Amino acid sequence: MKNFKTLFSIFLLSVITFGVKSQDTLTFKMHSKTTSKLISDMVVPSTAIEDMELSLLLFNRINRYRIESGLEAIKIDTSIYKAAKHHSMYMASNVESLSHRESEEQFATPPKRMSHFLNRNVIGIENVLMKTVSNPATKKEILIEYMFLQWKNSLGHNKNMLCQNISIGAVSVVKVKISYDVKSTRPNGEVKTINVPNTLIYATFNACK
């Protein structure tokens, strides 16, 4: 666990089960421990990259947990996958908020996104999370287990993963490269600026009947 604390400096997550009153949108302002700079001051590229391997690994980890808990595995669904990817990419392009909502009305809520891509009306569940990874050499297996445990150790997220009223689903994991400047003042008064790279990871898990 000690390694996790050094590898991951910031973690946020949000959970929602539809058919139940949803929680308010979770917003945040991230501060670096060394710079106290808001994330809005960071340099964020306009493009995000989906990690297909991480997406499948996290989905398989959820299914293994369901089987261990005496439940049936959920089947991966390409339409649900499109809904999950749509929202992960949306969050990656709006890095100052972690939310289940989107600005465009037809994709505003998880049920609308899933219904749009499935071409039928559905209700379902959604887990989302965001984390920063400061060590690019972090093994994917370690990252997946860490992400899974954040959901497992959260009552609402865990309930969604073990929901009995779902049969199809998907996970989408998206990465965004960011960087920020750290300024330090030397004894002689000289100010030195160092650019620090980081990776933001957004994940969305959607499932329904």
Side-chain angles (χ1 to χ4, degrees), residues 6-21:
T6 60
L7 291 176
F8 307 102
S9 57
I10 303 171
F11 173 80
L12 289 170
L13 71 165
S14 185
V15 60
I16 192 166
T17 302
F18 297 97
V20 181
K21 184 177 180 182

Side-chain angles (χ1 to χ4, degrees), residues 3-203:
N3 290 335
F4 286 149
K5 293 180 180 179
T6 60
L7 291 176
F8 307 102
S9 57
I10 303 171
F11 173 80
L12 289 170
L13 71 165
S14 185
V15 60
I16 192 166
T17 302
F18 297 97
V20 181
K21 184 177 180 182
S22 64
Q23 64 184 44
D24 293 334
T25 298
L26 172 64
T27 59
F28 68 92
K29 291 184 180 296
M30 274 196 319
H31 292 75
S32 161
K33 293 180 180 179
T34 55
T35 64
S36 295
K37 289 175 67 63
L38 294 177
I39 191 171
S40 58
D41 297 326
M42 297 180 183
V43 179
V44 182
S46 59
T47 57
I49 300 174
E50 185 182 33
D51 192 315
M52 294 289 292
E53 185 179 1
L54 281 180
S55 300
L56 186 57
L57 285 172
L58 186 52
F59 179 78
N60 288 341
R61 184 65 184 90
I62 293 171
N63 263 340
R64 189 174 59 157
Y65 179 46
R66 287 178 61 84
I67 293 171
E68 291 170 347
S69 301
L71 300 172
E72 291 186 3
I74 56 177
K75 296 179 180 179
I76 194 166
D77 182 271
T78 55
S79 296
I80 296 295
Y81 164 74
K82 290 176 182 178
K85 179 179 178 179
H86 190 281
H87 193 57
S88 287
M89 295 294 283
Y90 179 85
M91 291 191 295
S93 65
N94 295 273
V95 295
E96 289 189 351
S97 68
L98 182 71
S99 173
H100 294 285
R101 295 195 60 85
E102 295 187 18
S103 58
E104 193 172 348
E105 184 58 32
Q106 66 174 329
F107 301 117
T109 64
K112 287 187 176 182
R113 291 190 289 275
M114 286 187 280
S115 297
H116 172 84
F117 289 106
L118 282 168
N119 199 29
R120 62 183 174 91
N121 291 327
V122 298
I123 58 175
I125 59 94
E126 178 172 277
N127 287 357
V128 298
L129 65 81
M130 186 284 293
K131 66 168 63 267
T132 60
V133 181
S134 57
N135 184 353
T138 303
K139 292 183 178 181
K140 290 190 174 184
E141 293 78 9
I142 294 177
L143 181 57
I144 286 299
E145 193 63 18
Y146 188 89
M147 295 165 73
F148 165 74
L149 287 175
Q150 301 310 306
W151 280 344
K152 181 182 178 182
N153 294 331
S154 167
L155 183 61
H157 294 86
N158 189 61
K159 182 179 178 180
N160 277 353
M161 290 194 295
L162 297 180
C163 179
Q164 297 184 38
N165 196 34
I166 56 176
S167 58
I168 57 174
V171 171
S172 176
V173 178
V174 170
K175 293 180 177 179
V176 181
K177 298 289 185 180
I178 65 170
S179 63
Y180 57 91
D181 293 332
V182 176
K183 295 183 179 180
S184 61
T185 304
R186 296 182 174 180
N188 62 3
E190 178 185 357
V191 177
K192 185 177 181 179
T193 301
I194 302 174
N195 188 261
V196 179
N198 268 285
T199 299
L200 283 175
I201 291 183
Y202 294 87

